[in-house]
Amino acid sequence: MSSAFSSGTDDRSAAVQDNSTPPRGGAVDSEHEPPASTTTSVSPTSPEVRVGAKVGTAPDDDTLLALGREALTIEIQGLQALAARLDGRFAQAVRTLLACRGRVVVTGMGKSGHVGRKIAATLASTGTPALFMHPAEASHGDLGMITPADAVLAISNSGESDELTIIVPLIKRMGVPLVAMTGRADSTLARHADIVLDTAVAREACPLNLAPTASTTAQLAMGDALAVALLSARGFRPDDFARSHPGGALGRRLLTLVRDVMRPLQATPRVPPEAPLVEVMREMSAKGLGATAIVDESGRPIGIFTDGDLRRLIERHVGEDLRALTAQAIMHPQPRTVRPAMLAVEAAALMETHRITSVLVVDDTQRLVGALNHHDLMRAKVI
């Protein structure tokens, strides 16, 4: 074979020039189609599978399972080796990205580019401002995305991707830190980088050792490791994460306050202590909360009366005239209350703990300002 195989995710320098099976130690770029006559045996116990053949018996379930398990095993072994090799260069990379006052500009070609987009998205959502820059577009103006305050994370398994090797010297000339994620420490990318993160794998999970599989998994895992380390170093908290995900379930749970979902005072049933039972029932029906607050002359709630209380009251006094009863005589004193600035999810937890469906909202002076019902929380998708 006249050309060497490198464990390349994105480089175009290697090519297959005959129909023989390449050695297990390397891979070519995924843009090159494997020869139609190539065959491989997935394991000592599995039957031979003809790759790319249009005739012959299709593999049975056992063979397909063997292929899947071998692919997963190879990728797991690659990650275990990656973890064992992690050294001070990783800590140096984390500190470099942590010190960046601009954005982390992630770049990569081919499959490495797809991985790079995911890494940039993960960094951005965990407190490290980041964006993806396509290396081919960078040569036609997008290099202007990089500012002196930025840092660059360049990804290439071979480290020889033409699109990257063209722009790397220009990035160095800008004086911004360059962190490389590559499988070859002697590559052009590695020689230009300030910090090199070794993401080499012994073999790809592809039976032909051609398609970027284990190598891209290693890149993806290294990106996650960087993001997690940066997240912890920044003291990133769940509410910080929620601010980047306001449309998600976590965002709703961690950002929604009681004041955002509560019923205002004018829609909150309330009666004075001397109000007769008929007035209590009329107020509850008019405002549809299923409960009413009993408030003193200063507007502070001193009790609550619910639909359930009404049913139990009638059951206890069958045949009796209840019209003379006052709100103060039938209320539950010292009702549960929450503040407007409390997280709605905390109010939901309080209601669940005490098995109640409504809670009164009071201000710092304990005056009634609204009410919250479990239906309000459901509508806001907090619960």
Side-chain angles (χ1 to χ4, degrees):
M1 186 173 297
S2 59
S3 64
F5 285 84
S6 64
S7 183
T9 301
D10 44 27
D11 48 302
R12 300 173 179 175
S13 60
V16 180
Q17 297 186 6
D18 59 30
N19 289 333
S20 61
T21 302
R24 297 295 291 180
V28 296
D29 188 273
S30 59
E31 293 176 3
H32 298 287
E33 293 294 332
S37 62
T38 302
T39 63
T40 183
S41 178
V42 299
S43 72
T45 58
S46 62
E48 187 178 79
V49 179
R50 182 171 296 277
V51 178
K54 297 182 179 179
V55 295
T57 305
D60 58 20
D61 287 357
D62 288 341
T63 300
L64 295 175
L65 288 171
L67 285 165
R69 290 189 180 111
E70 185 183 36
L72 292 174
T73 299
I74 291 171
E75 299 209 357
I76 289 169
Q77 291 171 345
L79 293 181
Q80 289 173 334
L82 184 66
R85 291 198 309 269
L86 213 61
D87 55 22
R89 291 174 296 180
F90 177 82
Q92 186 182 358
V94 172
R95 294 186 190 284
T96 297
L97 300 183
L98 189 63
C100 174
R101 292 294 172 261
R103 299 154 302 174
V104 176
V105 180
V106 185
T107 187
M109 192 68 194
K111 301 299 186 293
S112 293
H114 295 308
V115 171
R117 290 182 187 276
K118 190 273 178 186
I119 292 174
T122 300
L123 289 171
S125 69
T126 53
T128 300
L131 58 85
F132 178 78
M133 179 186 70
H134 195 289
E137 297 294 342
S139 295
H140 298 276
D142 280 6
L143 205 59
M145 292 180 176
I146 304 175
T147 73
D150 295 338
V152 174
L153 174 61
I155 309 171
S156 172
N157 191 39
S158 70
E160 299 295 344
S161 172
D162 290 342
E163 293 83 358
L164 271 181
T165 57
I166 290 172
I167 65 171
V168 162
L170 300 174
I171 292 172
K172 290 296 293 181
R173 204 172 300 165
M174 294 178 184
V176 299
L178 174 59
V179 179
M181 195 183 291
T182 181
R184 286 181 49 190
D186 60 346
S187 63
T188 301
L189 175 59
R191 289 196 302 271
H192 282 87
D194 298 302
I195 306 165
V196 178
L197 298 176
D198 178 10
T199 54
V201 293
R203 58 191 290 202
E204 298 288 0
C206 167
L208 295 175
N209 204 28
L210 298 177
T213 45
S215 57
T216 47
T217 299
Q219 294 170 350
L220 189 63
M222 183 66 81
D224 285 344
L226 286 171
V228 168
L230 285 164
L231 178 155
S232 298
R234 292 182 187 280
F236 200 72
R237 300 176 301 174
D239 54 331
D240 297 316
F241 186 86
R243 291 189 188 96
S244 300
H245 301 75
L250 180 63
R252 287 190 295 271
R253 288 175 60 86
L254 295 180
L255 295 180
T256 304
L257 303 178
V258 168
R259 67 163 63 96
D260 300 324
V261 294
M262 73 180 196
R263 303 180 186 208
L265 182 62
Q266 59 269 28
T268 301
R270 61 193 189 279
V271 295
E274 64 275 9
L277 179 58
V278 172
E279 184 179 339
V280 172
M281 295 171 60
R282 186 181 297 116
E283 181 72 358
M284 290 170 62
S285 299
K287 296 183 178 175
L289 182 63
T292 185
I294 292 85
V295 296
D296 62 18
E297 62 278 1
S298 63
R300 294 182 176 88
I302 60 173
I304 191 169
F305 186 74
T306 69
D307 284 339
D309 294 329
L310 177 60
R311 289 193 299 272
R312 288 184 288 272
L313 180 68
I314 294 173
E315 289 171 359
R316 287 197 305 268
H317 301 277
V318 176
E320 297 181 27
D321 186 357
L322 304 179
R323 290 176 295 178
L325 294 176
T326 64
Q328 189 165 20
I330 59 177
M331 72 180 186
H332 278 292
Q334 299 178 332
R336 304 286 175 183
T337 61
V338 295
R339 300 293 181 85
M342 178 186 286
L343 285 173
V345 69
E346 293 177 344
L350 182 146
M351 292 163 66
E352 183 176 353
T353 299
H354 297 285
R355 298 184 179 182
I356 56 179
T357 58
S358 299
V359 65
L360 303 178
V361 185
V362 298
D363 62 16
D364 292 340
T365 65
Q366 296 299 314
R367 287 185 172 86
L368 185 69
V369 294
L372 185 65
N373 183 271
H374 73 286
H375 291 301
D376 304 324
L377 296 169
M378 292 176 67
R379 277 192 294 271
K381 297 182 179 180
V382 172
I383 58 175

Short mmCIF file of all heavy atoms in Angstrom, two decimals, residues 243-293:
data_model
loop_
_atom_site.label_atom_id
_atom_site.label_comp_id
_atom_site.label_asym_id
_atom_site.label_seq_id
_atom_site.Cartn_x
_atom_site.Cartn_y
_atom_site.Cartn_z
N ARG A 243 -30.91 29.68 33.88
CA ARG A 243 -30.97 30.95 33.13
C ARG A 243 -30.61 30.74 31.66
O ARG A 243 -31.02 31.52 30.80
CB ARG A 243 -30.04 31.98 33.77
CG ARG A 243 -30.51 32.46 35.12
CD ARG A 243 -29.68 33.63 35.63
NE ARG A 243 -30.03 33.94 37.00
CZ ARG A 243 -29.37 33.50 38.06
NH1 ARG A 243 -28.31 32.75 37.90
NH2 ARG A 243 -29.77 33.81 39.28
N SER A 244 -29.82 29.70 31.40
CA SER A 244 -29.48 29.39 30.01
C SER A 244 -30.51 28.48 29.37
O SER A 244 -30.45 28.21 28.18
CB SER A 244 -28.11 28.70 29.95
OG SER A 244 -27.10 29.52 30.48
N HIS A 245 -31.46 27.97 30.17
CA HIS A 245 -32.48 27.06 29.66
C HIS A 245 -33.87 27.48 30.15
O HIS A 245 -34.59 26.70 30.76
CB HIS A 245 -32.19 25.63 30.15
CG HIS A 245 -30.85 25.11 29.74
ND1 HIS A 245 -29.68 25.52 30.34
CD2 HIS A 245 -30.50 24.22 28.78
CE1 HIS A 245 -28.67 24.90 29.76
NE2 HIS A 245 -29.13 24.11 28.83
N PRO A 246 -34.26 28.73 29.89
CA PRO A 246 -35.54 29.21 30.44
C PRO A 246 -36.74 28.48 29.86
O PRO A 246 -37.81 28.46 30.48
CB PRO A 246 -35.55 30.70 30.04
CG PRO A 246 -34.67 30.78 28.85
CD PRO A 246 -33.58 29.77 29.09
N GLY A 247 -36.60 27.89 28.68
CA GLY A 247 -37.74 27.21 28.08
C GLY A 247 -37.89 25.78 28.52
O GLY A 247 -38.89 25.14 28.20
N GLY A 248 -36.92 25.24 29.24
CA GLY A 248 -36.98 23.86 29.66
C GLY A 248 -37.65 23.69 31.00
O GLY A 248 -37.96 24.65 31.70
N ALA A 249 -37.86 22.41 31.35
CA ALA A 249 -38.52 22.11 32.62
C ALA A 249 -37.69 22.61 33.79
O ALA A 249 -38.23 23.14 34.77
CB ALA A 249 -38.75 20.60 32.74
N LEU A 250 -36.37 22.46 33.71
CA LEU A 250 -35.52 22.93 34.80
C LEU A 250 -35.59 24.44 34.94
O LEU A 250 -35.64 24.98 36.05
CB LEU A 250 -34.07 22.50 34.57
CG LEU A 250 -33.07 22.92 35.64
CD1 LEU A 250 -33.42 22.29 36.98
CD2 LEU A 250 -31.65 22.54 35.25
N GLY A 251 -35.63 25.13 33.80
CA GLY A 251 -35.74 26.59 33.85
C GLY A 251 -37.01 27.05 34.53
O GLY A 251 -37.00 27.97 35.35
N ARG A 252 -38.11 26.38 34.19
CA ARG A 252 -39.38 26.75 34.83
C ARG A 252 -39.34 26.49 36.33
O ARG A 252 -39.84 27.28 37.12
CB ARG A 252 -40.53 25.96 34.19
CG ARG A 252 -40.90 26.42 32.80
CD ARG A 252 -42.19 25.78 32.35
NE ARG A 252 -42.07 24.35 32.19
CZ ARG A 252 -41.69 23.75 31.08
NH1 ARG A 252 -41.37 24.48 30.01
NH2 ARG A 252 -41.61 22.44 31.01
N ARG A 253 -38.73 25.40 36.73
CA ARG A 253 -38.70 25.04 38.14
C ARG A 253 -37.79 25.97 38.93
O ARG A 253 -38.06 26.27 40.10
CB ARG A 253 -38.22 23.59 38.31
CG ARG A 253 -39.24 22.58 37.86
CD ARG A 253 -38.68 21.17 37.92
NE ARG A 253 -38.27 20.80 39.27
CZ ARG A 253 -39.08 20.28 40.17
NH1 ARG A 253 -40.35 20.08 39.88
NH2 ARG A 253 -38.64 19.96 41.37
N LEU A 254 -36.70 26.42 38.32
CA LEU A 254 -35.72 27.19 39.07
C LEU A 254 -35.82 28.70 38.87
O LEU A 254 -35.16 29.45 39.57
CB LEU A 254 -34.31 26.72 38.70
CG LEU A 254 -33.97 25.28 39.10
CD1 LEU A 254 -32.55 24.94 38.69
CD2 LEU A 254 -34.14 25.07 40.60
N LEU A 255 -36.63 29.13 37.93
CA LEU A 255 -36.74 30.56 37.67
C LEU A 255 -38.12 31.13 38.00
O LEU A 255 -38.26 32.33 38.21
CB LEU A 255 -36.41 30.87 36.20
CG LEU A 255 -34.97 30.57 35.75
CD1 LEU A 255 -34.81 30.92 34.28
CD2 LEU A 255 -33.96 31.36 36.58
N THR A 256 -39.14 30.29 38.03
CA THR A 256 -40.50 30.78 38.27
C THR A 256 -40.71 31.06 39.74
O THR A 256 -40.52 30.18 40.59
CB THR A 256 -41.53 29.75 37.78
OG1 THR A 256 -41.29 29.46 36.40
CG2 THR A 256 -42.94 30.29 37.95
N LEU A 257 -41.12 32.28 40.04
CA LEU A 257 -41.40 32.68 41.42
C LEU A 257 -42.91 32.66 41.68
O LEU A 257 -43.71 32.64 40.74
CB LEU A 257 -40.87 34.09 41.67
CG LEU A 257 -39.36 34.31 41.42
CD1 LEU A 257 -39.00 35.77 41.67
CD2 LEU A 257 -38.52 33.39 42.28
N VAL A 258 -43.27 32.66 42.95
CA VAL A 258 -44.68 32.69 43.32
C VAL A 258 -45.37 33.89 42.69
O VAL A 258 -46.49 33.78 42.19
CB VAL A 258 -44.83 32.70 44.86
CG1 VAL A 258 -46.27 33.02 45.26
CG2 VAL A 258 -44.40 31.36 45.46
N ARG A 259 -44.71 35.05 42.69
CA ARG A 259 -45.35 36.25 42.15
C ARG A 259 -45.67 36.10 40.66
O ARG A 259 -46.55 36.80 40.14
CB ARG A 259 -44.44 37.47 42.36
CG ARG A 259 -43.16 37.47 41.56
CD ARG A 259 -42.54 38.88 41.53
NE ARG A 259 -42.17 39.32 42.85
CZ ARG A 259 -40.95 39.21 43.38
NH1 ARG A 259 -39.97 38.64 42.67
NH2 ARG A 259 -40.68 39.65 44.58
N ASP A 260 -44.95 35.21 39.97
CA ASP A 260 -45.18 35.03 38.54
C ASP A 260 -46.46 34.25 38.25
O ASP A 260 -47.01 34.37 37.15
CB ASP A 260 -43.99 34.30 37.90
CG ASP A 260 -42.68 35.05 38.06
OD1 ASP A 260 -42.71 36.29 38.00
OD2 ASP A 260 -41.63 34.39 38.23
N VAL A 261 -46.91 33.45 39.18
CA VAL A 261 -48.05 32.57 38.91
C VAL A 261 -49.21 32.75 39.88
O VAL A 261 -50.28 32.17 39.68
CB VAL A 261 -47.60 31.08 38.93
CG1 VAL A 261 -46.64 30.80 37.78
CG2 VAL A 261 -46.94 30.72 40.25
N MET A 262 -49.05 33.55 40.91
CA MET A 262 -50.11 33.67 41.92
C MET A 262 -51.29 34.49 41.40
O MET A 262 -51.17 35.26 40.44
CB MET A 262 -49.55 34.33 43.18
CG MET A 262 -49.29 35.81 43.03
SD MET A 262 -48.63 36.54 44.55
CE MET A 262 -48.90 38.29 44.24
N ARG A 263 -52.42 34.32 42.05
CA ARG A 263 -53.60 35.14 41.75
C ARG A 263 -53.47 36.46 42.51
O ARG A 263 -53.11 36.47 43.68
CB ARG A 263 -54.86 34.41 42.18
CG ARG A 263 -54.99 33.05 41.53
CD ARG A 263 -56.22 32.32 41.94
NE ARG A 263 -56.22 30.97 41.39
CZ ARG A 263 -57.30 30.27 41.10
NH1 ARG A 263 -58.50 30.79 41.34
NH2 ARG A 263 -57.20 29.06 40.60
N PRO A 264 -53.75 37.58 41.86
CA PRO A 264 -53.62 38.87 42.54
C PRO A 264 -54.65 39.04 43.64
O PRO A 264 -55.62 38.27 43.74
CB PRO A 264 -53.83 39.88 41.42
CG PRO A 264 -54.66 39.16 40.41
CD PRO A 264 -54.23 37.72 40.47
N LEU A 265 -54.49 40.06 44.45
CA LEU A 265 -55.37 40.28 45.59
C LEU A 265 -56.83 40.42 45.18
O LEU A 265 -57.72 39.86 45.82
CB LEU A 265 -54.92 41.53 46.36
CG LEU A 265 -55.73 41.87 47.62
CD1 LEU A 265 -55.62 40.73 48.63
CD2 LEU A 265 -55.26 43.19 48.22
N GLN A 266 -57.08 41.12 44.07
CA GLN A 266 -58.48 41.33 43.67
C GLN A 266 -59.17 40.03 43.24
O GLN A 266 -60.40 39.95 43.23
CB GLN A 266 -58.58 42.37 42.53
CG GLN A 266 -57.81 42.03 41.27
CD GLN A 266 -56.40 42.58 41.28
OE1 GLN A 266 -55.82 42.77 42.35
NE2 GLN A 266 -55.87 42.87 40.10
N ALA A 267 -58.39 39.01 42.89
CA ALA A 267 -58.97 37.72 42.51
C ALA A 267 -58.91 36.71 43.64
O ALA A 267 -59.27 35.54 43.44
CB ALA A 267 -58.24 37.17 41.28
N THR A 268 -58.47 37.15 44.82
CA THR A 268 -58.34 36.26 45.97
C THR A 268 -59.54 36.38 46.89
O THR A 268 -59.84 37.48 47.39
CB THR A 268 -57.05 36.58 46.75
OG1 THR A 268 -55.91 36.44 45.90
CG2 THR A 268 -56.90 35.66 47.95
N PRO A 269 -60.27 35.29 47.15
CA PRO A 269 -61.42 35.35 48.08
C PRO A 269 -60.96 35.74 49.49
O PRO A 269 -59.97 35.20 49.99
CB PRO A 269 -61.96 33.92 48.06
CG PRO A 269 -61.39 33.29 46.84
CD PRO A 269 -60.07 33.94 46.62
N ARG A 270 -61.67 36.67 50.11
CA ARG A 270 -61.33 37.08 51.47
C ARG A 270 -62.57 37.68 52.13
O ARG A 270 -63.33 38.40 51.48
CB ARG A 270 -60.16 38.04 51.49
CG ARG A 270 -60.40 39.35 50.74
CD ARG A 270 -59.07 40.10 50.54
NE ARG A 270 -59.28 41.44 50.03
CZ ARG A 270 -59.50 41.72 48.74
NH1 ARG A 270 -59.58 40.75 47.84
NH2 ARG A 270 -59.67 42.97 48.35
N VAL A 271 -62.74 37.39 53.39
CA VAL A 271 -63.89 37.91 54.16
C VAL A 271 -63.40 38.31 55.54
O VAL A 271 -62.36 37.81 56.01
CB VAL A 271 -65.00 36.86 54.29
CG1 VAL A 271 -65.59 36.51 52.93
CG2 VAL A 271 -64.50 35.60 55.00
N PRO A 272 -64.14 39.20 56.22
CA PRO A 272 -63.78 39.55 57.60
C PRO A 272 -64.20 38.43 58.55
O PRO A 272 -65.04 37.59 58.21
CB PRO A 272 -64.56 40.84 57.85
CG PRO A 272 -65.74 40.73 56.93
CD PRO A 272 -65.25 40.02 55.72
N PRO A 273 -63.67 38.41 59.77
CA PRO A 273 -64.00 37.33 60.72
C PRO A 273 -65.48 37.23 61.04
O PRO A 273 -65.99 36.14 61.28
CB PRO A 273 -63.20 37.73 61.97
CG PRO A 273 -62.11 38.62 61.47
CD PRO A 273 -62.68 39.35 60.31
N GLU A 274 -66.20 38.37 61.03
CA GLU A 274 -67.63 38.36 61.42
C GLU A 274 -68.56 37.98 60.26
O GLU A 274 -69.79 37.91 60.44
CB GLU A 274 -68.04 39.71 61.97
CG GLU A 274 -67.97 40.87 60.98
CD GLU A 274 -66.57 41.49 60.87
OE1 GLU A 274 -65.61 40.91 61.44
OE2 GLU A 274 -66.45 42.54 60.22
N ALA A 275 -68.02 37.71 59.10
CA ALA A 275 -68.88 37.38 57.94
C ALA A 275 -69.64 36.09 58.20
O ALA A 275 -69.08 35.10 58.66
CB ALA A 275 -68.01 37.25 56.69
N PRO A 276 -70.95 36.06 57.87
CA PRO A 276 -71.73 34.84 58.05
C PRO A 276 -71.36 33.78 57.00
O PRO A 276 -70.75 34.09 55.98
CB PRO A 276 -73.17 35.31 57.88
CG PRO A 276 -73.07 36.52 57.01
CD PRO A 276 -71.78 37.19 57.38
N LEU A 277 -71.75 32.55 57.27
CA LEU A 277 -71.40 31.44 56.38
C LEU A 277 -71.87 31.68 54.96
O LEU A 277 -71.17 31.35 54.00
CB LEU A 277 -72.00 30.14 56.93
CG LEU A 277 -71.74 28.88 56.10
CD1 LEU A 277 -70.25 28.62 55.93
CD2 LEU A 277 -72.43 27.67 56.74
N VAL A 278 -73.06 32.29 54.81
CA VAL A 278 -73.59 32.55 53.46
C VAL A 278 -72.63 33.45 52.68
O VAL A 278 -72.36 33.23 51.49
CB VAL A 278 -74.99 33.17 53.54
CG1 VAL A 278 -75.46 33.61 52.16
CG2 VAL A 278 -75.98 32.19 54.15
N GLU A 279 -72.10 34.48 53.33
CA GLU A 279 -71.17 35.39 52.65
C GLU A 279 -69.86 34.67 52.33
O GLU A 279 -69.25 34.90 51.27
CB GLU A 279 -70.89 36.60 53.54
CG GLU A 279 -70.00 37.64 52.87
CD GLU A 279 -69.76 38.86 53.76
OE1 GLU A 279 -70.57 39.09 54.68
OE2 GLU A 279 -68.75 39.56 53.53
N VAL A 280 -69.43 33.80 53.22
CA VAL A 280 -68.21 33.01 52.98
C VAL A 280 -68.39 32.17 51.72
O VAL A 280 -67.52 32.14 50.83
CB VAL A 280 -67.89 32.11 54.19
CG1 VAL A 280 -66.74 31.15 53.85
CG2 VAL A 280 -67.55 32.96 55.40
N MET A 281 -69.53 31.48 51.60
CA MET A 281 -69.79 30.62 50.45
C MET A 281 -69.91 31.43 49.16
O MET A 281 -69.43 31.03 48.11
CB MET A 281 -71.07 29.80 50.69
CG MET A 281 -70.95 28.80 51.84
SD MET A 281 -72.53 28.03 52.27
CE MET A 281 -72.96 27.22 50.73
N ARG A 282 -70.55 32.60 49.27
CA ARG A 282 -70.71 33.46 48.10
C ARG A 282 -69.35 33.94 47.58
O ARG A 282 -69.09 33.95 46.37
CB ARG A 282 -71.60 34.66 48.47
CG ARG A 282 -71.95 35.53 47.26
CD ARG A 282 -72.81 36.71 47.66
NE ARG A 282 -74.10 36.26 48.20
CZ ARG A 282 -74.48 36.48 49.45
NH1 ARG A 282 -73.68 37.13 50.31
NH2 ARG A 282 -75.66 36.06 49.86
N GLU A 283 -68.45 34.31 48.50
CA GLU A 283 -67.11 34.78 48.10
C GLU A 283 -66.30 33.65 47.46
O GLU A 283 -65.61 33.85 46.45
CB GLU A 283 -66.38 35.33 49.33
CG GLU A 283 -64.98 35.87 49.07
CD GLU A 283 -64.96 37.19 48.32
OE1 GLU A 283 -66.05 37.70 47.96
OE2 GLU A 283 -63.85 37.72 48.10
N MET A 284 -66.40 32.46 48.02
CA MET A 284 -65.68 31.32 47.46
C MET A 284 -66.18 30.99 46.05
O MET A 284 -65.39 30.73 45.14
CB MET A 284 -65.84 30.10 48.37
CG MET A 284 -65.11 30.22 49.69
SD MET A 284 -65.54 28.92 50.87
CE MET A 284 -64.99 27.46 50.01
N SER A 285 -67.49 31.03 45.85
CA SER A 285 -68.07 30.72 44.54
C SER A 285 -67.73 31.79 43.51
O SER A 285 -67.45 31.49 42.34
CB SER A 285 -69.59 30.58 44.66
OG SER A 285 -69.93 29.52 45.53
N ALA A 286 -67.73 33.04 43.92
CA ALA A 286 -67.50 34.15 42.99
C ALA A 286 -66.09 34.14 42.44
O ALA A 286 -65.87 34.48 41.26
CB ALA A 286 -67.79 35.48 43.69
N LYS A 287 -65.11 33.75 43.26
CA LYS A 287 -63.71 33.85 42.83
C LYS A 287 -63.06 32.51 42.52
O LYS A 287 -61.92 32.46 42.06
CB LYS A 287 -62.91 34.63 43.87
CG LYS A 287 -63.42 36.07 43.98
CD LYS A 287 -62.62 36.91 44.93
CE LYS A 287 -63.15 38.36 44.94
NZ LYS A 287 -62.47 39.19 45.95
N GLY A 288 -63.79 31.43 42.74
CA GLY A 288 -63.38 30.13 42.23
C GLY A 288 -62.04 29.59 42.68
O GLY A 288 -61.38 28.90 41.91
N LEU A 289 -61.65 29.87 43.88
CA LEU A 289 -60.38 29.33 44.37
C LEU A 289 -60.56 28.02 45.12
O LEU A 289 -59.64 27.24 45.23
CB LEU A 289 -59.70 30.36 45.30
CG LEU A 289 -58.32 29.98 45.87
CD1 LEU A 289 -57.31 29.82 44.74
CD2 LEU A 289 -57.85 31.02 46.88
N GLY A 290 -61.77 27.78 45.62
CA GLY A 290 -61.99 26.59 46.44
C GLY A 290 -61.64 26.83 47.89
O GLY A 290 -61.59 25.90 48.69
N ALA A 291 -61.38 28.09 48.23
CA ALA A 291 -61.06 28.47 49.62
C ALA A 291 -61.20 29.97 49.73
O ALA A 291 -61.24 30.68 48.73
CB ALA A 291 -59.64 28.04 49.97
N THR A 292 -61.29 30.46 50.95
CA THR A 292 -61.29 31.90 51.18
C THR A 292 -60.45 32.22 52.40
O THR A 292 -60.38 31.43 53.35
CB THR A 292 -62.72 32.45 51.37
OG1 THR A 292 -62.68 33.88 51.47
CG2 THR A 292 -63.36 31.88 52.63
N ALA A 293 -59.78 33.35 52.34
CA ALA A 293 -59.01 33.82 53.48
C ALA A 293 -59.91 34.60 54.42
O ALA A 293 -60.83 35.30 53.97
CB ALA A 293 -57.86 34.70 53.01
#
